[in-house]
Amino acid sequence: MAFDGCGVTNGLTGILFAAGLDGQVHKVIEVVEKMSHYGGVRVVAIGLSRGGIACLKLAKKLASKFRTEANEIEAVSLSMLLFDPVPGNAVWTGFPFTAAFSQNLSACHNLKRVLALYPYEPLPDIAMHAPTLLDYPATTKVEEDVTLGCHQGALIRTNVCPQNKYETASNLSFCRIYDFLDSEGVKMKLPPTIHLPSSKECLSICQTAFQTTHASTRIAHDQTGRNRTVIRRSEMSEKCRWLNKHHQQLEEEFGQEHCAPHQVERGSYQLDFEDGWKFCT
């Protein structure tokens, strides 16, 4: 199932207040409910920007609709890829309070896996495009990572020879999305006109981008209480070893380096999350 953005389907109210997302979620729930009569259902959802917020609403609905008792197998499970989930709220006031009750997912018992990607480049404050960092269940396998690009500009198009920063960022983003779907058993058939970046291409992009050292900060809505922001570090210290987690994974894939999670020091990634820079609602 696929849906147009709420700004397309619902016009100005979709742009300002994310109107239309609840209707989209309802359609998915109807299909899942019908399928659940025939056995277990695995839901794999991907959402960009307000589409990411729709995924949050879906997670809440699935958790409330399909409850299980202790030690029972989940009738419905959910895996999500959230690409820069943006509610469109003001950071200081929270207005217009889009998805105000959908951003705490800690009770979503059937949420099995989340990959949440956040482009590091900020938009002007007036655009109200601060992303949301979420509170997940302790049992959910969660990976949050910062990537190149600026919101939707990080998903423009791929190119075997990227001509600008948008295509460069898009190559990395597309690779992450493709690999996520593949790992969840969703096989994509791409037309020959669409370039699928290889792991080696992405590693080369990460290695090149890692040489760029300029500081950047992007404020966020952090639901965990840690008041995190999305940053790009300017310093090239001994601690800063990779562009981001994706860069680390690619180097491990090609046998260049392996580091257990507990061995990764704070400040190891150039693109990262930093605790407590500013207060966010």
Side-chain angles (χ1 to χ4, degrees):
M1 301 179 69
F3 300 94
D4 288 325
C6 55
V8 175
T9 60
N10 289 71
L12 187 60
T13 57
I15 293 172
L16 295 179
F17 307 109
L21 295 185
D22 289 331
Q24 294 175 359
V25 169
H26 180 70
K27 290 180 181 179
V28 176
I29 294 293
E30 285 185 327
V31 172
V32 172
E33 190 169 22
K34 290 177 182 178
M35 294 177 66
S36 68
H37 296 317
Y38 301 95
V41 180
R42 290 178 61 246
V43 180
V44 181
I46 295 180
L48 161 66
S49 190
R50 290 286 182 77
I53 303 304
C55 288
L56 310 187
K57 289 175 173 286
L58 176 62
K60 300 280 279 190
K61 287 289 186 181
L62 288 174
S64 63
K65 183 77 174 177
F66 300 95
R67 297 182 180 275
T68 56
E69 300 298 329
N71 300 321
E72 282 189 356
I73 298 174
E74 298 283 2
V76 176
S77 65
L78 172 64
S79 296
M80 301 192 304
L81 190 153
L82 306 174
F83 197 95
D84 210 29
V86 167
N89 297 333
V91 170
W92 301 109
T93 66
F95 181 81
F97 314 110
T98 302
F101 302 104
S102 301
Q103 297 179 62
N104 185 340
L105 304 182
S106 59
C108 294
H109 55 89
N110 44 11
L111 181 58
K112 300 304 181 185
R113 180 187 176 195
V114 174
L115 173 60
L117 302 176
Y118 297 88
Y120 83 94
E121 294 183 31
L123 285 165
D125 290 346
I126 195 171
M128 296 201 297
H129 268 61
T132 186
L133 302 169
L134 301 157
D135 192 13
Y136 299 103
T139 55
T140 302
K141 180 182 178 182
V142 178
E143 180 184 353
E144 295 175 312
D145 200 11
V146 183
T147 190
L148 295 178
C150 177
H151 195 54
Q152 198 166 341
L155 275 176
I156 296 295
R157 59 180 170 270
T158 60
N159 194 328
V160 65
C161 296
Q163 301 299 307
N164 51 55
K165 68 176 185 178
Y166 302 107
E167 292 180 350
T168 299
S170 296
N171 275 10
L172 289 184
S173 300
F174 190 87
C175 183
R176 298 297 291 278
I177 294 171
Y178 185 92
D179 288 348
F180 173 84
L181 289 173
D182 187 66
S183 68
E184 290 293 329
V186 180
K187 305 301 180 183
M188 294 180 65
K189 295 182 179 180
L190 303 176
T193 53
I194 296 180
H195 172 62
L196 174 60
S198 68
S199 295
K200 284 189 175 181
E201 289 176 66
C202 291
L203 177 58
S204 178
I205 289 172
C206 290
Q207 290 171 337
T208 301
F210 185 62
Q211 304 307 313
T212 301
T213 55
H214 69 271
S216 175
T217 301
R218 185 184 182 200
I219 198 167
H221 306 275
D222 191 351
Q223 306 304 315
T224 69
R226 293 165 57 189
N227 303 330
R228 290 174 293 170
T229 52
V230 177
I231 66 166
R232 183 169 193 163
R233 293 187 168 89
S234 61
E235 74 275 7
M236 290 291 290
S237 66
E238 291 183 1
K239 285 185 177 181
C240 199
R241 301 164 61 182
W242 302 284
L243 178 70
N244 57 5
K245 292 177 183 177
H246 188 205
H247 183 190
Q248 179 189 2
Q249 292 163 5
L250 290 168
E251 289 202 343
E252 291 177 354
E253 179 181 338
F254 290 99
Q256 297 185 16
E257 187 169 5
H258 179 75
C259 191
H262 69 274
Q263 295 175 318
V264 177
E265 295 183 73
R266 184 183 182 90
S268 293
Y269 306 113
Q270 191 183 90
L271 303 180
D272 206 353
F273 304 97
E274 187 81 345
D275 286 356
W277 277 51
K278 297 179 182 178
F279 178 79
C280 305
T281 56

